[in-house]
Structure formats: structure tokens, C-alpha cells
């Protein structure tokens, strides 16, 4: 270990997989004597863990690299690295656009990061550790080309030591026409259940209370060994028995793999969150076919019907893409109709951007950007109205909240006091803010909900006075009139897809009043 520790700055962009990868990278570097710093200026090693799902995420990284050009010129001894999906996708193009970058490392080779940093510092020159392309390997080759080093866990490197991701699957074999993930993260591989249980026990021993299982299509998990096949439902039953773990979640789900045994497991296991993230992407069969999603709208409706039957108190969220190749106004209206009928808890809505190397990159990107923006705004307005109505159902209810820390507002204005606005999540993944003591961070607490915005429930602890609030709805105004949406534009029979009641989160829930239906 060096007498003077190296200092590393690590910036993470993208999904939960990247957040977990960054935890692993930092744990690895800490073993080598590194300490983490909060600004590139203080670091002698500057790393970016990157995302290639959308063009915006890539341009954000190239912009950040551009700002370091003069800094690197003034401090040539510093090591700059690009990790993750951009490294695998762009490879030498990164060196072409940012020639002062010292190393690139793909998601499947992150365990080599510390070694490559040492080479860059001691030997010099450009260093790279990349996985083979899909066309260059067989499935038997995949584990060596796309590796995972998940057992290296460090609670101090997680945003919250009492919450942890557990990667049960890497890679993807779905090949949606717009998606780069099969190229950047490689073939789908499911980790052995015994290995996962061992890692989960380690996390529980470290004080983890909430375990979030990760996979590109997590409900596709199947691992066969010795003639026995373990599914995600089987894995949940085994993880449920672990002492210390209080909550189990899993993301992201693929609609066609939402099986009855899995829904039954979620229903029957008290620790399982009744929250399901299931991307729809489009409500038009024509667009779904062009996206190569592998299902039709009718199948998604049938899945939602089964979710409602097994889990009438479930909260479902989704992903949607607007402006995909060839999308017409009628296609967009079909998507809006599905959003109205499904009444998602929330939606992540994105404008389509072509990605090099995908099948859709060969299709004309023929929806003008102003049209994409306009459809994005209309769909956001519709989802905002739905989320507002659903969240208002919680007024007067008591929900269980895992306290994560100071709210964003409290963190911005934190004066170091012990009483502040805290934030956490319910069993159905709804965000709650409430006044409380700093020592309650990491605890599971009952919170009485007093009000709601589209994205946040606002409450108080039962022993706090009703008028003791540190948050005002005036701080986060929501005017549904700002972006009016007519629900009469594309009528949908709600008899086809029953709307969901709000998640009960383990507490008795009265029927909503007529005014909040």
C-alpha cells in the first residue's frame, strides 16, 4: 500500500447496473490503497463509468472529458479512464475524440481496472481491456469475455449501506432493434443460486435491509445445474429466508416472462415488494414489431390483467419511447391509450435517438425532433395527471418507509442540524418526505401521509404534531393546466384492463373518496 494514497474521482452515468459496477470498482481500488474524492481537481485518477443507451448520456461524458483537456495538459501525471458501455461500444473512437484519455475498460473487464491504471501510470501509453464482440464468441466463450466480480462488496461505497443491489444476471439476448445492451454487456448469463445466496448473506451481515435484484430482463432468470432449474420465483423463496433482509425488489422485467409462479411468489412472500417495473415501450403493435420487442399490446394487457388478479395492490411502472422510426400520430395515441388504461405509478419517457450498431440504425429516423419533443411533453403531462391522482389516494394513510437520508431539499440547505427533512421509499417504491431526526436514517418507520405531488408523498411521523411539516406543496407546485391533456382524445375501455388501486404498503387502506377516484 502506498505511503501517500492515490486519490480517485469516479463519476457514474446510467442505470442501476452502472451504480453497482461503480461500487465494485471503488471496493477494488480501496483494496489497492485508493481514497475517493469528490472533485476531479483533487484526484490523481479520474474515471467515468458510462452509459450508451441514449445519445444524451454519451454526449454528457464527451463534454465532461472536453473540460478536462487543459487540466490534463497541466497535470500529465493524472490518469483519465472511460469505463463501461461507451468503452465497449466506441472503443478507439474515444481515443480519437479525447486523445488525452489513458485507458478504456468494458463492462465485462472491469476487474482489470486497477491493473490498467497502474500500467498507464508506470508504463504510459493507451491501455484497453475490451470484451469480444457478439459475433466473435460462442456462448461457451462468454464468461471469459464478459465477467462479473460481484462478490467484492463494500458497504461504505454504496449510496446507502442498508440498501444493496445484487446482480443475478448479466447480458441480454432479446436484441430489441433500438438497444445496444446485447453488444455492450454481452450474452445473457445467470449466476448460480448458491453464489447469489452467499453474496446475499454477506450483504445481510453488512447491515443490508433492502436487497434489489438486478438483471437486464431480471424475470428471465433461469439457472440449471445438476439437472435442477432455479427460476426467479425459486430464488425469491430462498432469499426470503435470510435473517436481516427486510425487503426484496427486482428490476427490470420483460413482459413475456412475467409468469404466474413469479406473481404468486410476490403475493405470498411478505418481504417482496409489490412494485413491478415492466417496460411497455409503445402501445402500437406496428411499432412494437419494428422495435422487435417480441410481444403485442394484447399480451401486455393480459399480463396486466394477471398482475391485477394476483396483486390487486401492485404498483407498476414502465418505460416508453416516443418518436421511434415511422411512429405516426395514431401510433402515439395508441401509446397514450395504454398509459391511461394501465395507470402506471410512473413512466420513464424518452425521445428515440439512433444508436450505432443496432438494427434500428438502418431504419430512417423520420420523426422530426420537434414532433418527438411535443409527444414527449404530452405523454409526460398525461402521466403526471395519473401519478397525481394515484398519489393523492394516499392522503390520510399510514405507510412503512425505509428512511434513506436527507431529502434533496434538505441536503441542499443542510446546516448540520439533527432535525431535518428526511426521505425514503415505501414497499411499493413511492418516495416519501417527512420531518424527522437524523438518527432515524436506515430505519423502517410508519409515516402518515398528509399530501402528495406527482412524484412524492408528503407526511409526518405519527408522534409529530399535524402542523409540524418541513415541506410545503408550494415548493413543488404542480399545475395540470400547464400542459392540458384531454382524456377524451383516444377513448379506451377500462373493462379491458382494470385500473390498479394504490399500493397498500402493508397498512390497511380505506377506499378512496369519490373525489380522488
Amino acid at each position: 500500500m502506498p505511503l501517500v494514497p492515490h486519490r480517485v474521482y469516479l463519476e457514474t452515468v446510467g442505470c442501476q447496473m452502472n451504480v453497482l459496477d461503480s461500487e465494485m470498482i471503488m471496493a477494488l481500488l480501496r483494496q489497492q490503497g485508493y481514497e475517493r474524492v469528490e472533485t476531479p481537481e483533487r484526484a490523481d485518477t479520474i474515471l467515468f463509468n458510462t452509459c450508451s443507451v441514449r445519445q444524451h448520456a454519451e454526449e454528457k461524458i464527451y463534454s465532461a472529458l472536453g473540460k478536462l483537456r487543459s487540466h490534463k495538459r497541466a497535470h500529465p501525471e493524472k490518469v483519465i479512464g472511460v469505463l463501461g458501455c461507451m468503452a465497449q461500444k466506441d472503443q478507439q473512437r474515444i481515443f480519437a475524440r479525447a486523445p488525452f484519455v489513458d485507458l478504456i475498460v468494458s463492462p465485462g473487464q472491469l476487474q482489470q481496472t486497477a491493473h490498467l491504471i497502474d500500467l498507464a501510470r508506470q508504463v504510459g501509453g493507451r491501455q484497453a481491456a475490451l470484451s469480444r464482440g457478439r459475433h466473435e464468441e460462442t456462448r461457451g466463450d462468454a464468461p471469459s469475455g464478459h465477467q462479473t466480480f460481484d462478490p467484492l462488496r463494500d458497504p461504505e461505497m454504496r449510496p446507502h449501506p442498508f440498501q444493496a443491489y445484487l446482480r443475478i444476471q448479466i447480458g441480454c439476448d432479446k436484441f430489441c432493434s433500438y438497444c445496444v445492451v446485447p453488444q455492450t454487456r454481452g450474452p445473457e448469463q445467470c449466476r448460480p443460486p448458491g453464489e447469489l445466496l452467499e453474496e446475499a448473506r454477506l450483504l445481510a451481515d453488512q447491515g443490508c435491509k433492502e436487497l434489489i435484484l438486478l438483471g437486464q430482463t431480471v424475470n428471465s432468470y433461469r439457472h440449471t445445474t445438476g439437472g435442477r432449474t432455479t427460476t426467479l420465483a425459486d430464488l425469491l423463496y430462498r432469499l426470503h429466508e435470510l435473517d436481516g433482509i427486510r425487503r426484496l425488489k427486482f428490476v427490470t422485467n420483460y413482459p413475456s416472462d412475467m409468469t404466474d409462479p413469479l406473481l404468486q411468489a410476490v403475493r405470498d412472500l411478505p418481504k417482496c415488494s409489490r412494485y413491478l417495473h415492466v417496460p411497455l415501450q409503445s402501445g402500437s403493435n406496428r411499432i412494437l414489431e419494428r422495435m422487435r420487442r417480441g410481444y403485442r399490446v394484447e399480451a401486455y394487457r393480459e399480463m396486466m390483467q394477471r398482475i391485477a388478479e394476483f396483486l390487486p395492490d401492485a404498483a407498476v411502472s414502465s418505460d416508453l419511447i416516443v418518436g421511434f422510426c415511422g411512429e405516426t400520430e395514431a401510433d402515439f395515441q395508441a401509446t397514450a391509450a395504454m398509459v391511461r388504461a394501465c395507470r402506471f405509478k410512473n413512466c420513464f419517457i424518452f425521445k428515440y435517438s439512433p444508436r450505432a450498431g443496432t438494427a434500428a440504425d438502418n431504419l430512417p429516423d423520420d420523426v422530426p425532433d420537434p414532433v418527438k419533443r411535443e409527444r414527449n411533453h404530452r405523454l409526460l403531462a398525461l402521466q403526471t395527471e395519473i401519478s397525481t391522482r394515484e398519489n393523492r389516494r394516499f392522503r390520510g394513510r399510514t405507510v412503512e418507509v425505509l428512511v434513506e437520508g436527507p431529502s434533496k431539499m434538505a441536503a441542499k440547505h443542510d446546516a448540520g442540524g439533527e432535525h431535518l427533512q428526511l426521505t425514503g421509499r415505501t414497499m411499493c417504491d413511492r418516495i416519501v418526505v417527512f420531518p424527522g431526526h437524523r438518527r432515524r436514517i436506515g430505519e423502517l418507520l410508519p409515516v402518515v401521509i398528509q399530501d402528495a405531488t406527482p412524484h412524492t408523498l408528503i407526511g409526518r411521523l405519527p408522534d409529530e404534531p399535524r402542523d409540524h411539516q418541513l415541506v410545503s406543496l408550494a415548493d413543488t407546485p404542480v399545475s395540470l393546466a400547464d400542459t392540458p391533456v384531454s382524456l377524451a382524445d383516444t377513448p379506451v375501455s377500462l373493462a379491458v384492463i382494470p385500473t390498479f388501486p394504490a399500493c397498500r404498503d402493508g397498512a390497511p387502506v380505506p377506499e378512496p373518496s369519490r373525489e380522488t377516484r
Side-chain angles (χ1 to χ4, degrees):
M1 182 177 295
L3 294 177
V4 179
H6 286 297
R7 298 175 304 280
V8 59
Y9 170 81
L10 175 59
E11 182 173 326
T12 304
V13 175
C15 65
Q16 299 101 322
M17 287 284 189
N18 281 15
V19 174
L20 178 56
D21 284 340
S22 290
E23 178 195 333
M24 308 299 177
I25 293 163
M26 285 307 308
L28 178 68
L29 293 177
R30 274 166 57 94
Q31 287 188 343
Q32 305 296 317
Y34 283 76
E35 65 179 37
R36 189 169 189 171
V37 295
E38 297 304 317
T39 64
E41 291 75 19
R42 293 185 57 205
D44 57 31
T45 304
I46 303 169
L47 304 176
F48 295 92
N49 191 11
T50 63
C51 173
S52 284
V53 171
R54 287 176 296 280
Q55 184 68 29
H56 176 73
E58 291 187 355
E59 291 305 323
K60 180 177 180 180
I61 295 300
Y62 280 121
S63 175
L65 288 172
K67 294 175 183 177
L68 290 173
R69 186 182 301 271
S70 59
H71 186 70
K72 174 70 169 180
R73 189 180 301 119
H75 302 279
E77 76 283 358
K78 292 195 175 188
V79 174
I80 298 177
V82 175
L83 319 177
C85 292
M86 270 182 67
Q88 180 67 26
K89 173 181 168 287
D90 286 0
Q91 301 190 9
Q92 297 301 318
R93 287 196 293 273
I94 295 173
F95 292 133
R97 287 191 62 172
F100 50 88
V101 167
D102 298 290
L103 60 96
I104 57 175
V105 187
S106 72
Q109 303 296 323
L110 291 175
Q111 71 280 1
Q112 298 191 45
T113 301
H115 174 61
L116 265 64
I117 292 172
D118 289 342
L119 285 178
R121 182 166 282 125
Q122 297 167 11
V123 180
R126 294 170 175 172
Q127 307 297 327
L130 303 170
S131 300
R132 292 183 294 274
R134 296 280 301 227
H135 64 283
E136 299 177 86
E137 63 186 6
T138 66
R139 181 165 294 277
D141 294 328
S144 62
H146 298 270
Q147 298 177 11
T148 177
F149 57 120
D150 292 62
L152 193 62
R153 306 307 299 261
D154 186 341
E156 294 185 26
M157 293 299 101
R158 296 197 284 272
H160 310 292
F162 44 85
Q163 292 173 311
Y165 293 125
L166 176 62
R167 190 187 341 250
I168 69 172
Q169 175 197 68
I170 63 173
C172 184
D173 290 340
K174 301 303 184 189
F175 289 101
C176 300
S177 66
Y178 54 83
C179 186
V180 299
V181 169
Q183 283 74 38
T184 58
R185 289 195 175 267
E188 180 182 298
Q189 302 170 66
C190 296
R191 297 177 62 198
E195 182 179 295
L196 295 171
L197 287 166
E198 181 179 353
E199 186 174 343
R201 289 190 190 96
L202 171 63
L203 293 168
D205 291 342
Q206 292 176 346
C208 174
K209 296 180 180 179
E210 181 176 84
L211 202 55
I212 305 169
L213 312 185
L214 293 186
Q216 299 299 148
T217 54
V218 68
N219 57 338
S220 306
Y221 177 87
R222 294 178 67 86
H223 187 278
T224 301
T225 182
R228 178 179 178 181
T229 297
T230 300
T231 65
L232 176 58
D234 300 325
L235 184 62
L236 288 173
Y237 279 105
R238 297 176 69 178
L239 291 170
H240 193 270
E241 299 302 314
L242 294 181
D243 292 335
I245 301 298
R246 302 283 297 277
R247 287 182 175 182
L248 291 168
K249 296 180 180 178
F250 52 92
V251 291
T252 291
N253 295 281
Y254 183 65
S256 299
D257 293 326
M258 190 65 71
T259 64
D260 286 356
L262 177 57
L263 294 175
Q264 182 175 340
V266 174
R267 181 195 66 192
D268 294 345
L269 297 175
K271 294 180 182 179
C272 276
S273 169
R274 274 61 170 169
Y275 165 65
L276 300 170
H277 182 67
V278 196
L280 169 63
Q281 303 299 10
S282 176
S284 163
N285 282 330
R286 192 178 70 87
I287 296 300
L288 287 175
E289 185 174 355
R290 300 195 96 189
M291 289 179 168
R292 299 184 183 176
R293 286 291 289 169
Y295 56 84
R296 293 175 62 82
V297 169
E298 292 79 9
Y300 196 95
R301 289 177 176 175
E302 187 272 337
M303 177 205 69
M304 292 291 285
Q305 177 69 46
R306 288 188 294 110
I307 291 174
E309 292 171 355
F310 278 96
L311 304 165
D313 56 355
V316 181
S317 63
S318 193
D319 293 345
L320 296 165
I321 297 173
V322 298
F324 188 73
C325 310
E327 184 187 71
T328 65
E329 179 64 19
D331 295 320
F332 171 76
Q333 290 292 349
T335 298
M338 282 293 286
V339 171
R340 292 189 192 100
C342 296
R343 302 192 69 78
F344 297 117
K345 176 180 78 75
N346 62 279
C347 282
F348 300 95
I349 303 170
F350 307 103
K351 296 185 302 176
Y352 171 69
S353 61
R355 314 307 300 127
T358 64
D361 196 35
N362 297 317
L363 300 174
D365 182 22
D366 53 1
V367 180
D369 192 64
V371 176
K372 291 180 183 179
R373 288 199 303 270
E374 187 264 346
R375 289 176 183 171
N376 195 344
H377 292 159
R378 286 160 63 192
L379 209 55
L380 282 170
L382 172 58
Q383 181 59 53
T384 294
E385 181 170 353
I386 292 169
S387 297
T388 300
R389 290 179 182 274
E390 293 301 312
N391 280 352
R392 284 176 178 170
R393 294 173 182 246
F394 280 85
R395 290 184 295 196
R397 303 181 188 181
T398 299
V399 297
E400 183 188 73
V401 175
L402 176 58
V403 187
E404 297 178 350
S407 69
K408 289 183 180 180
M409 186 174 69
K412 182 183 292 187
H413 305 288
D414 190 0
E418 293 302 306
H419 286 275
L420 71 167
Q421 186 186 90
L422 299 172
T423 186
R425 290 181 185 264
T426 70
M427 193 64 160
C428 277
D429 204 55
R430 283 181 165 86
I431 297 171
V432 181
V433 296
F434 61 97
H437 197 283
R438 196 180 294 270
R439 69 170 181 269
R440 310 309 293 268
I441 295 173
E443 296 183 16
L444 287 158
L445 299 177
V447 176
V448 180
I449 303 305
Q450 296 175 288
D451 217 327
T453 72
H455 309 295
T456 307
L457 303 179
I458 300 161
R460 61 175 176 81
L461 296 174
D463 54 353
E464 293 280 0
R466 287 184 178 273
D467 59 351
H468 185 185
Q469 282 187 259
L470 294 180
V471 65
S472 168
L473 282 181
D475 296 331
T476 52
V478 178
S479 173
L480 297 184
D482 290 344
T483 48
V485 177
S486 169
L487 297 187
D489 289 344
T490 53
V492 175
S493 170
L494 297 186
V496 177
I497 313 175
T499 57
F500 287 150
C503 174
R504 286 169 170 77
D505 288 305
V509 179
E511 279 294 311
S513 66
R514 187 175 301 276
E515 288 75 16
T516 61
R517 284 186 185 272

